[in-house]
Amino acid sequence: MRELSPLFKPLKIGNRVAPNRIVINAMECCDALPNGDPSPETYARYERLFEGKAGIVVLEAITTQYDHRSRKDQLSIREHNLPALKKFVAHLKKINPDTILLFQITHSGEISNPEFSTRIRVTKEPLPGYEDAKLVGEKEIDEVIDQYIQGSKYAYEVGADGVDLKLCHGYLGSQILRPYNKENWKYGGSWENRKQFAINIYDGVRAAIPDPNFVLGSKISIYEGFPGGFGTLNSDSACMDLTEPIDLIKTLEAHGANFILQSAGSPSITLDLAHPDVRTPDYAYIHFYLQKACRNALRPETAVIGSGYSIYRDGRKGFHAVKKEKNTLRFWGEKNINEGVVDAIAIGRQSYADPYLPAKMEKNDDASIKWCTLCDHCVEMLIQQTKVGCTTFDKKYTQEYLNMIHTKGSIKEKHT
């Protein structure tokens, strides 16, 4: 009898148990209804993911407000959305009650889109490229903290199993954590000040939702990869220094985090680090180091979920000095779980290409998986505010992409 793959051993996350260790990353798709409710396209995408039997599905970045958002047609979690979200969650749970559903609560901060919202920043000196961002201070950030807490309460009310309090990819949480946020104020300057933003959210959510079964954690860009970014030595250094990221995750653990979802980079600045590409496949190996650093720092009961796995696919893309059979998504997922590098693996683009990957892998039917070609057309669609899906394997999105190119043209730079 074949030994059970580490990928398909249950994972305890807080007081809940995921049936396997494949996680679907939060992937924004620009397809909500105008009021922020799930659309038919939203339903179809998550229906497939729940049919695909992932252990955990993270609902894409869902905003608590409209004034500062990165996607025009973005899911929102406000009072008027609650009936639709409750119906949506119940529908997915009816399809598959075993998959854990987390809502990723977000605020776009400096990467809000100025075409339909307002960019904000917390630094007197704007990050180069974000000079049009409005400077805000303690009052506005305290309001954001309240919104995160209220959004989490709403997620609980509509039936989500937990929340991912987003601290990654250039959104407001990242912006506050960075050494670049160097001016001395309530949430800036010293590391103690900068991490207080996240602490206040965690304490507020745990106080507002005393249910011990509600799962709490964050996706974090452990190293953003540019001068002054999170995980660097100081406000103008690009040297990797994980002192603050490691202290952050240990602090969040002490304040109630059940999981840390490791990521890296900021897609609007260092896209290939966040999302290793065929041009730079070896960036994916950096994620392993970051995952191991997180795993070493935390208690065994705090789950560490690792990102950056989609690029490995079936071992056929862009890597050198390695046998393809020892460079697949399955190989690295199993190896890294076995060796204590990470507890679970998360996929992003691959979930567009084949939402049924977990079910197929569980049956050892890897040969039938539709592997992401890493064409990045989905990223182009996200940048252009077009409904996002797999242009390779879904004709609907092939046509969406062609229509986008015809009406908007091709993008000049691949930054979200």
Short mmCIF file of all heavy atoms in Angstrom, two decimals, residues 256-320:
data_model
loop_
_atom_site.label_atom_id
_atom_site.label_comp_id
_atom_site.label_asym_id
_atom_site.label_seq_id
_atom_site.Cartn_x
_atom_site.Cartn_y
_atom_site.Cartn_z
N GLY A 256 -2.67 35.71 19.21
CA GLY A 256 -3.78 34.89 18.74
C GLY A 256 -3.71 34.36 17.33
O GLY A 256 -4.68 33.76 16.86
N ALA A 257 -2.59 34.54 16.63
CA ALA A 257 -2.50 34.01 15.26
C ALA A 257 -2.43 32.49 15.28
O ALA A 257 -1.64 31.91 16.03
CB ALA A 257 -1.27 34.57 14.54
N ASN A 258 -3.24 31.86 14.44
CA ASN A 258 -3.19 30.40 14.27
C ASN A 258 -2.34 29.98 13.09
O ASN A 258 -1.95 28.82 12.99
CB ASN A 258 -4.59 29.85 14.05
CG ASN A 258 -5.55 30.21 15.17
OD1 ASN A 258 -6.58 30.84 14.93
ND2 ASN A 258 -5.24 29.84 16.40
N PHE A 259 -2.08 30.92 12.16
CA PHE A 259 -1.27 30.60 10.99
C PHE A 259 -0.55 31.84 10.51
O PHE A 259 -0.98 32.98 10.76
CB PHE A 259 -2.13 30.02 9.86
CG PHE A 259 -3.00 31.04 9.17
CD1 PHE A 259 -2.56 31.74 8.04
CD2 PHE A 259 -4.29 31.32 9.63
CE1 PHE A 259 -3.35 32.68 7.41
CE2 PHE A 259 -5.09 32.25 9.00
CZ PHE A 259 -4.63 32.94 7.90
N ILE A 260 0.54 31.61 9.79
CA ILE A 260 1.24 32.64 9.03
C ILE A 260 1.34 32.13 7.60
O ILE A 260 1.81 31.02 7.37
CB ILE A 260 2.65 32.92 9.61
CG1 ILE A 260 2.56 33.47 11.04
CG2 ILE A 260 3.42 33.87 8.69
CD1 ILE A 260 1.85 34.80 11.18
N LEU A 261 0.88 32.93 6.66
CA LEU A 261 0.99 32.57 5.24
C LEU A 261 2.14 33.39 4.66
O LEU A 261 2.02 34.59 4.46
CB LEU A 261 -0.33 32.85 4.52
CG LEU A 261 -0.64 32.00 3.29
CD1 LEU A 261 -2.07 32.23 2.82
CD2 LEU A 261 0.33 32.22 2.15
N GLN A 262 3.26 32.72 4.45
CA GLN A 262 4.48 33.39 3.98
C GLN A 262 4.35 33.82 2.53
O GLN A 262 3.91 33.08 1.67
CB GLN A 262 5.68 32.45 4.13
CG GLN A 262 6.94 32.89 3.42
CD GLN A 262 6.99 32.48 1.93
OE1 GLN A 262 6.38 31.50 1.53
NE2 GLN A 262 7.71 33.25 1.13
N SER A 263 4.76 35.06 2.27
CA SER A 263 4.94 35.49 0.90
C SER A 263 6.18 36.38 0.86
O SER A 263 6.92 36.48 1.84
CB SER A 263 3.71 36.24 0.37
OG SER A 263 3.82 36.43 -1.03
N ALA A 264 6.42 37.00 -0.29
CA ALA A 264 7.57 37.89 -0.44
C ALA A 264 7.24 38.89 -1.54
O ALA A 264 6.32 38.69 -2.33
CB ALA A 264 8.83 37.11 -0.80
N GLY A 265 8.01 39.96 -1.58
CA GLY A 265 7.85 40.93 -2.65
C GLY A 265 6.63 41.80 -2.51
O GLY A 265 5.79 41.64 -1.62
N SER A 266 6.55 42.76 -3.41
CA SER A 266 5.40 43.66 -3.54
C SER A 266 5.11 43.74 -5.03
O SER A 266 5.92 44.29 -5.79
CB SER A 266 5.74 45.04 -2.98
OG SER A 266 4.66 45.93 -3.17
N PRO A 267 3.99 43.17 -5.50
CA PRO A 267 3.77 43.03 -6.95
C PRO A 267 3.79 44.34 -7.73
O PRO A 267 4.06 44.32 -8.93
CB PRO A 267 2.40 42.36 -7.03
CG PRO A 267 2.31 41.58 -5.78
CD PRO A 267 2.97 42.44 -4.74
N SER A 268 3.53 45.47 -7.08
CA SER A 268 3.61 46.74 -7.80
C SER A 268 5.05 47.22 -7.95
O SER A 268 5.31 48.17 -8.69
CB SER A 268 2.78 47.81 -7.08
OG SER A 268 3.26 48.01 -5.77
N ILE A 269 6.00 46.55 -7.26
CA ILE A 269 7.41 46.96 -7.29
C ILE A 269 8.30 45.78 -7.66
O ILE A 269 9.09 45.85 -8.61
CB ILE A 269 7.83 47.54 -5.92
CG1 ILE A 269 6.94 48.72 -5.54
CG2 ILE A 269 9.30 47.97 -5.95
CD1 ILE A 269 7.10 49.19 -4.12
N THR A 270 8.21 44.70 -6.91
CA THR A 270 9.06 43.52 -7.11
C THR A 270 8.18 42.32 -7.44
O THR A 270 8.09 41.36 -6.68
CB THR A 270 9.91 43.26 -5.85
OG1 THR A 270 9.05 43.29 -4.69
CG2 THR A 270 11.00 44.29 -5.68
N LEU A 271 7.53 42.38 -8.59
CA LEU A 271 6.56 41.36 -8.99
C LEU A 271 7.14 39.97 -9.03
O LEU A 271 6.55 39.01 -8.54
CB LEU A 271 5.96 41.72 -10.35
CG LEU A 271 4.95 40.71 -10.93
CD1 LEU A 271 3.73 40.60 -10.04
CD2 LEU A 271 4.56 41.08 -12.35
N ASP A 272 8.34 39.82 -9.62
CA ASP A 272 8.90 38.48 -9.79
C ASP A 272 9.28 37.82 -8.47
O ASP A 272 9.34 36.59 -8.39
CB ASP A 272 10.14 38.53 -10.70
CG ASP A 272 9.76 38.72 -12.16
OD1 ASP A 272 8.56 38.86 -12.44
OD2 ASP A 272 10.66 38.73 -13.02
N LEU A 273 9.52 38.62 -7.45
CA LEU A 273 9.79 38.05 -6.14
C LEU A 273 8.50 37.55 -5.50
O LEU A 273 8.46 36.48 -4.89
CB LEU A 273 10.47 39.10 -5.24
CG LEU A 273 10.89 38.65 -3.84
CD1 LEU A 273 11.83 37.46 -3.89
CD2 LEU A 273 11.54 39.82 -3.09
N ALA A 274 7.43 38.32 -5.68
CA ALA A 274 6.14 37.90 -5.13
C ALA A 274 5.60 36.69 -5.86
O ALA A 274 4.89 35.86 -5.28
CB ALA A 274 5.14 39.06 -5.24
N HIS A 275 5.99 36.54 -7.11
CA HIS A 275 5.27 35.71 -8.06
C HIS A 275 6.30 35.22 -9.08
O HIS A 275 6.39 35.74 -10.17
CB HIS A 275 4.22 36.69 -8.61
CG HIS A 275 3.57 36.41 -9.89
ND1 HIS A 275 2.21 36.43 -10.01
CD2 HIS A 275 4.03 36.17 -11.12
CE1 HIS A 275 1.87 36.21 -11.25
NE2 HIS A 275 2.96 36.05 -11.94
N PRO A 276 7.20 34.30 -8.65
CA PRO A 276 8.33 33.90 -9.51
C PRO A 276 7.89 33.55 -10.93
O PRO A 276 6.90 32.83 -11.13
CB PRO A 276 8.90 32.68 -8.78
CG PRO A 276 8.54 32.92 -7.35
CD PRO A 276 7.18 33.56 -7.38
N ASP A 277 8.63 34.07 -11.90
CA ASP A 277 8.22 34.00 -13.30
C ASP A 277 9.22 33.17 -14.10
O ASP A 277 10.30 32.84 -13.60
CB ASP A 277 8.17 35.44 -13.85
CG ASP A 277 7.35 35.56 -15.12
OD1 ASP A 277 6.76 34.55 -15.54
OD2 ASP A 277 7.32 36.66 -15.69
N VAL A 278 8.88 32.86 -15.34
CA VAL A 278 9.78 32.09 -16.19
C VAL A 278 11.09 32.83 -16.44
O VAL A 278 12.11 32.21 -16.72
CB VAL A 278 9.12 31.72 -17.53
CG1 VAL A 278 8.04 30.67 -17.32
CG2 VAL A 278 8.54 32.94 -18.23
N ARG A 279 11.08 34.15 -16.35
CA ARG A 279 12.31 34.93 -16.51
C ARG A 279 13.25 34.76 -15.32
O ARG A 279 14.46 34.88 -15.45
CB ARG A 279 11.99 36.42 -16.69
CG ARG A 279 11.09 36.76 -17.86
CD ARG A 279 10.90 38.28 -17.98
NE ARG A 279 10.41 38.87 -16.74
CZ ARG A 279 9.13 38.94 -16.40
NH1 ARG A 279 8.21 38.44 -17.19
NH2 ARG A 279 8.77 39.51 -15.27
N THR A 280 12.65 34.55 -14.14
CA THR A 280 13.42 34.49 -12.90
C THR A 280 12.92 33.33 -12.03
O THR A 280 12.54 33.53 -10.88
CB THR A 280 13.25 35.81 -12.11
OG1 THR A 280 11.83 36.08 -11.97
CG2 THR A 280 13.93 36.97 -12.81
N PRO A 281 12.94 32.12 -12.54
CA PRO A 281 12.34 31.01 -11.78
C PRO A 281 13.03 30.77 -10.45
O PRO A 281 12.38 30.37 -9.47
CB PRO A 281 12.51 29.81 -12.71
CG PRO A 281 13.66 30.17 -13.60
CD PRO A 281 13.54 31.65 -13.81
N ASP A 282 14.33 31.02 -10.40
CA ASP A 282 15.09 30.68 -9.19
C ASP A 282 14.69 31.54 -7.99
O ASP A 282 15.03 31.18 -6.86
CB ASP A 282 16.59 30.82 -9.48
CG ASP A 282 16.97 30.14 -10.78
OD1 ASP A 282 16.86 28.91 -10.84
OD2 ASP A 282 17.30 30.84 -11.75
N TYR A 283 13.98 32.65 -8.23
CA TYR A 283 13.46 33.43 -7.09
C TYR A 283 12.58 32.55 -6.21
O TYR A 283 12.42 32.82 -5.02
CB TYR A 283 12.64 34.61 -7.59
CG TYR A 283 13.42 35.82 -8.05
CD1 TYR A 283 14.76 35.73 -8.41
CD2 TYR A 283 12.81 37.06 -8.15
CE1 TYR A 283 15.46 36.84 -8.84
CE2 TYR A 283 13.49 38.18 -8.58
CZ TYR A 283 14.81 38.07 -8.93
OH TYR A 283 15.51 39.17 -9.36
N ALA A 284 11.98 31.51 -6.80
CA ALA A 284 11.09 30.65 -6.03
C ALA A 284 11.82 29.97 -4.88
O ALA A 284 11.23 29.71 -3.82
CB ALA A 284 10.46 29.61 -6.94
N TYR A 285 13.10 29.68 -5.07
CA TYR A 285 13.86 29.02 -4.01
C TYR A 285 14.02 29.92 -2.79
O TYR A 285 14.18 29.43 -1.66
CB TYR A 285 15.23 28.60 -4.52
CG TYR A 285 15.22 27.53 -5.59
CD1 TYR A 285 16.04 27.66 -6.72
CD2 TYR A 285 14.41 26.41 -5.49
CE1 TYR A 285 16.06 26.68 -7.71
CE2 TYR A 285 14.41 25.43 -6.47
CZ TYR A 285 15.24 25.57 -7.58
OH TYR A 285 15.25 24.60 -8.55
N ILE A 286 14.02 31.24 -2.99
CA ILE A 286 14.13 32.17 -1.86
C ILE A 286 12.96 31.97 -0.90
O ILE A 286 13.12 32.09 0.33
CB ILE A 286 14.17 33.63 -2.36
CG1 ILE A 286 15.43 33.86 -3.22
CG2 ILE A 286 14.12 34.62 -1.20
CD1 ILE A 286 15.47 35.22 -3.91
N HIS A 287 11.81 31.64 -1.46
CA HIS A 287 10.63 31.42 -0.61
C HIS A 287 10.87 30.29 0.39
O HIS A 287 10.38 30.35 1.52
CB HIS A 287 9.41 31.13 -1.47
CG HIS A 287 8.86 32.34 -2.16
ND1 HIS A 287 7.69 32.96 -1.78
CD2 HIS A 287 9.33 33.06 -3.21
CE1 HIS A 287 7.46 34.00 -2.55
NE2 HIS A 287 8.43 34.08 -3.44
N PHE A 288 11.61 29.27 -0.01
CA PHE A 288 11.87 28.16 0.91
C PHE A 288 12.64 28.65 2.15
O PHE A 288 12.36 28.23 3.27
CB PHE A 288 12.67 27.05 0.22
CG PHE A 288 11.98 26.38 -0.93
CD1 PHE A 288 12.69 25.54 -1.77
CD2 PHE A 288 10.63 26.58 -1.19
CE1 PHE A 288 12.08 24.91 -2.84
CE2 PHE A 288 10.00 25.94 -2.26
CZ PHE A 288 10.74 25.10 -3.08
N TYR A 289 13.63 29.49 1.92
CA TYR A 289 14.40 30.03 3.03
C TYR A 289 13.49 30.81 3.98
O TYR A 289 13.57 30.66 5.21
CB TYR A 289 15.51 30.94 2.51
CG TYR A 289 16.19 31.74 3.60
CD1 TYR A 289 17.05 31.13 4.50
CD2 TYR A 289 15.93 33.10 3.75
CE1 TYR A 289 17.66 31.85 5.53
CE2 TYR A 289 16.53 33.84 4.76
CZ TYR A 289 17.39 33.21 5.65
OH TYR A 289 17.97 33.93 6.66
N LEU A 290 12.60 31.63 3.42
CA LEU A 290 11.71 32.43 4.24
C LEU A 290 10.72 31.55 4.99
O LEU A 290 10.40 31.81 6.16
CB LEU A 290 10.97 33.44 3.36
CG LEU A 290 11.87 34.41 2.58
CD1 LEU A 290 11.03 35.29 1.66
CD2 LEU A 290 12.70 35.27 3.52
N GLN A 291 10.26 30.49 4.34
CA GLN A 291 9.34 29.56 5.01
C GLN A 291 10.02 28.88 6.19
O GLN A 291 9.45 28.76 7.28
CB GLN A 291 8.85 28.52 3.99
CG GLN A 291 7.90 29.08 2.96
CD GLN A 291 7.79 28.24 1.71
OE1 GLN A 291 8.00 27.03 1.74
NE2 GLN A 291 7.44 28.87 0.58
N LYS A 292 11.23 28.44 5.99
CA LYS A 292 11.97 27.76 7.05
C LYS A 292 12.25 28.70 8.22
O LYS A 292 12.17 28.32 9.39
CB LYS A 292 13.28 27.20 6.49
CG LYS A 292 14.14 26.43 7.50
CD LYS A 292 13.44 25.19 8.05
CE LYS A 292 14.37 24.35 8.90
NZ LYS A 292 13.66 23.26 9.61
N ALA A 293 12.56 29.95 7.91
CA ALA A 293 12.80 30.93 8.97
C ALA A 293 11.53 31.11 9.82
O ALA A 293 11.61 31.22 11.05
CB ALA A 293 13.24 32.26 8.37
N CYS A 294 10.39 31.15 9.16
CA CYS A 294 9.12 31.28 9.89
C CYS A 294 8.85 30.03 10.72
O CYS A 294 8.49 30.12 11.91
CB CYS A 294 7.96 31.51 8.92
SG CYS A 294 7.99 33.09 8.07
N ARG A 295 9.04 28.87 10.09
CA ARG A 295 8.75 27.61 10.79
C ARG A 295 9.64 27.46 12.03
O ARG A 295 9.18 27.01 13.08
CB ARG A 295 8.94 26.45 9.82
CG ARG A 295 8.63 25.04 10.32
CD ARG A 295 7.20 24.84 10.77
NE ARG A 295 7.02 25.38 12.13
CZ ARG A 295 5.84 25.69 12.64
NH1 ARG A 295 4.74 25.55 11.94
NH2 ARG A 295 5.76 26.17 13.87
N ASN A 296 10.89 27.84 11.92
CA ASN A 296 11.82 27.73 13.04
C ASN A 296 11.44 28.64 14.21
O ASN A 296 11.75 28.36 15.36
CB ASN A 296 13.24 28.05 12.61
CG ASN A 296 13.86 26.96 11.76
OD1 ASN A 296 13.33 25.86 11.66
ND2 ASN A 296 14.98 27.27 11.13
N ALA A 297 10.79 29.77 13.89
CA ALA A 297 10.52 30.79 14.90
C ALA A 297 9.25 30.54 15.70
O ALA A 297 9.09 31.10 16.80
CB ALA A 297 10.44 32.17 14.24
N LEU A 298 8.34 29.73 15.17
CA LEU A 298 7.01 29.61 15.75
C LEU A 298 6.80 28.28 16.46
O LEU A 298 7.51 27.30 16.22
CB LEU A 298 5.95 29.79 14.66
CG LEU A 298 5.95 31.15 13.96
CD1 LEU A 298 4.98 31.16 12.79
CD2 LEU A 298 5.61 32.26 14.94
N ARG A 299 5.80 28.25 17.33
CA ARG A 299 5.44 27.02 18.00
C ARG A 299 4.89 26.01 16.99
O ARG A 299 4.30 26.41 15.98
CB ARG A 299 4.39 27.28 19.09
CG ARG A 299 4.87 28.21 20.20
CD ARG A 299 3.93 28.16 21.40
NE ARG A 299 2.58 28.58 21.03
CZ ARG A 299 2.09 29.80 21.23
NH1 ARG A 299 2.86 30.74 21.76
NH2 ARG A 299 0.85 30.09 20.89
N PRO A 300 5.02 24.72 17.26
CA PRO A 300 4.54 23.71 16.30
C PRO A 300 3.07 23.85 15.97
O PRO A 300 2.63 23.54 14.85
CB PRO A 300 4.82 22.38 17.02
CG PRO A 300 5.93 22.68 17.96
CD PRO A 300 5.71 24.10 18.41
N GLU A 301 2.26 24.32 16.92
CA GLU A 301 0.83 24.41 16.68
C GLU A 301 0.42 25.60 15.81
O GLU A 301 -0.75 25.70 15.40
CB GLU A 301 0.06 24.46 18.01
CG GLU A 301 0.42 25.60 18.92
CD GLU A 301 1.51 25.24 19.92
OE1 GLU A 301 2.36 24.38 19.61
OE2 GLU A 301 1.51 25.82 21.02
N THR A 302 1.34 26.52 15.54
CA THR A 302 1.05 27.63 14.62
C THR A 302 1.45 27.19 13.21
O THR A 302 2.62 26.93 12.95
CB THR A 302 1.83 28.89 15.03
OG1 THR A 302 1.53 29.21 16.39
CG2 THR A 302 1.47 30.05 14.13
N ALA A 303 0.47 27.10 12.33
CA ALA A 303 0.72 26.59 10.98
C ALA A 303 1.46 27.62 10.13
O ALA A 303 1.12 28.81 10.15
CB ALA A 303 -0.59 26.22 10.31
N VAL A 304 2.46 27.16 9.40
CA VAL A 304 3.16 28.00 8.42
C VAL A 304 2.81 27.49 7.03
O VAL A 304 3.04 26.32 6.70
CB VAL A 304 4.68 27.96 8.63
CG1 VAL A 304 5.39 28.75 7.52
CG2 VAL A 304 5.04 28.54 10.00
N ILE A 305 2.21 28.37 6.23
CA ILE A 305 1.82 28.06 4.86
C ILE A 305 2.77 28.80 3.92
O ILE A 305 2.98 30.00 4.09
CB ILE A 305 0.36 28.49 4.60
CG1 ILE A 305 -0.58 27.84 5.62
CG2 ILE A 305 -0.06 28.14 3.18
CD1 ILE A 305 -1.98 28.45 5.65
N GLY A 306 3.33 28.10 2.97
CA GLY A 306 4.33 28.70 2.08
C GLY A 306 3.78 29.00 0.70
O GLY A 306 2.99 28.23 0.15
N SER A 307 4.22 30.11 0.13
CA SER A 307 3.83 30.51 -1.23
C SER A 307 4.96 30.24 -2.22
O SER A 307 6.05 29.83 -1.86
CB SER A 307 3.46 31.99 -1.26
OG SER A 307 2.32 32.25 -0.49
N GLY A 308 4.67 30.51 -3.49
CA GLY A 308 5.69 30.42 -4.54
C GLY A 308 5.81 29.05 -5.18
O GLY A 308 6.84 28.75 -5.80
N TYR A 309 4.78 28.22 -5.10
CA TYR A 309 4.89 26.85 -5.59
C TYR A 309 4.35 26.64 -7.01
O TYR A 309 4.67 25.63 -7.64
CB TYR A 309 4.18 25.89 -4.63
CG TYR A 309 4.98 25.63 -3.37
CD1 TYR A 309 4.86 26.48 -2.27
CD2 TYR A 309 5.87 24.57 -3.28
CE1 TYR A 309 5.60 26.27 -1.12
CE2 TYR A 309 6.62 24.34 -2.12
CZ TYR A 309 6.48 25.20 -1.05
OH TYR A 309 7.23 24.99 0.08
N SER A 310 3.54 27.55 -7.52
CA SER A 310 2.92 27.31 -8.84
C SER A 310 3.95 27.11 -9.94
O SER A 310 3.73 26.33 -10.87
CB SER A 310 2.00 28.48 -9.22
OG SER A 310 0.82 28.49 -8.44
N ILE A 311 5.07 27.80 -9.84
CA ILE A 311 6.05 27.75 -10.92
C ILE A 311 6.67 26.37 -11.11
O ILE A 311 7.14 26.03 -12.20
CB ILE A 311 7.16 28.80 -10.68
CG1 ILE A 311 8.00 28.99 -11.96
CG2 ILE A 311 8.02 28.44 -9.48
CD1 ILE A 311 8.89 30.19 -11.94
N TYR A 312 6.64 25.51 -10.10
CA TYR A 312 7.28 24.20 -10.22
C TYR A 312 6.48 23.24 -11.10
O TYR A 312 7.05 22.33 -11.69
CB TYR A 312 7.51 23.60 -8.83
CG TYR A 312 8.47 24.41 -8.01
CD1 TYR A 312 8.03 25.20 -6.96
CD2 TYR A 312 9.83 24.43 -8.32
CE1 TYR A 312 8.91 25.97 -6.23
CE2 TYR A 312 10.71 25.19 -7.59
CZ TYR A 312 10.25 25.96 -6.54
OH TYR A 312 11.13 26.74 -5.83
N ARG A 313 5.17 23.38 -11.12
CA ARG A 313 4.26 22.60 -11.97
C ARG A 313 4.69 21.13 -12.09
O ARG A 313 4.80 20.45 -11.11
CB ARG A 313 4.08 23.21 -13.36
CG ARG A 313 4.90 24.41 -13.75
CD ARG A 313 4.73 24.81 -15.20
NE ARG A 313 4.80 23.71 -16.14
CZ ARG A 313 4.00 23.59 -17.18
NH1 ARG A 313 3.06 24.47 -17.41
NH2 ARG A 313 4.14 22.58 -18.01
N ASP A 314 4.98 20.68 -13.31
CA ASP A 314 5.41 19.29 -13.55
C ASP A 314 6.91 19.19 -13.81
O ASP A 314 7.39 18.21 -14.36
CB ASP A 314 4.65 18.69 -14.74
CG ASP A 314 4.80 19.53 -16.00
OD1 ASP A 314 5.40 20.63 -15.94
OD2 ASP A 314 4.32 19.09 -17.05
N GLY A 315 7.66 20.22 -13.41
CA GLY A 315 9.11 20.19 -13.53
C GLY A 315 9.66 20.59 -14.88
O GLY A 315 10.86 20.42 -15.14
N ARG A 316 8.84 21.18 -15.72
CA ARG A 316 9.26 21.43 -17.10
C ARG A 316 9.54 22.89 -17.42
O ARG A 316 9.65 23.24 -18.59
CB ARG A 316 8.19 20.92 -18.08
CG ARG A 316 7.99 19.41 -18.04
CD ARG A 316 6.86 18.99 -18.96
NE ARG A 316 6.59 17.56 -18.87
CZ ARG A 316 7.17 16.63 -19.62
NH1 ARG A 316 8.07 16.99 -20.52
NH2 ARG A 316 6.87 15.36 -19.48
N LYS A 317 9.63 23.77 -16.44
CA LYS A 317 9.73 25.19 -16.76
C LYS A 317 10.98 25.87 -16.20
O LYS A 317 11.08 26.10 -14.99
CB LYS A 317 8.49 25.93 -16.24
CG LYS A 317 7.27 25.80 -17.13
CD LYS A 317 7.38 26.72 -18.35
CE LYS A 317 6.14 26.58 -19.22
NZ LYS A 317 6.20 27.45 -20.40
N GLY A 318 11.93 26.18 -17.02
CA GLY A 318 12.90 27.22 -16.76
C GLY A 318 14.00 27.04 -15.74
O GLY A 318 14.80 27.93 -15.54
N PHE A 319 14.04 25.91 -15.04
CA PHE A 319 15.08 25.72 -14.02
C PHE A 319 16.27 24.98 -14.60
O PHE A 319 16.13 24.15 -15.50
CB PHE A 319 14.51 24.92 -12.84
CG PHE A 319 13.48 25.66 -12.05
CD1 PHE A 319 12.14 25.59 -12.41
CD2 PHE A 319 13.83 26.42 -10.94
CE1 PHE A 319 11.17 26.26 -11.68
CE2 PHE A 319 12.86 27.08 -10.19
CZ PHE A 319 11.54 27.01 -10.57
N HIS A 320 17.46 25.27 -14.06
CA HIS A 320 18.69 24.63 -14.51
C HIS A 320 19.30 23.81 -13.36
O HIS A 320 18.98 24.00 -12.20
CB HIS A 320 19.69 25.67 -15.00
CG HIS A 320 19.18 26.47 -16.15
ND1 HIS A 320 19.13 25.98 -17.44
CD2 HIS A 320 18.68 27.73 -16.22
CE1 HIS A 320 18.62 26.90 -18.24
NE2 HIS A 320 18.35 27.97 -17.52
#
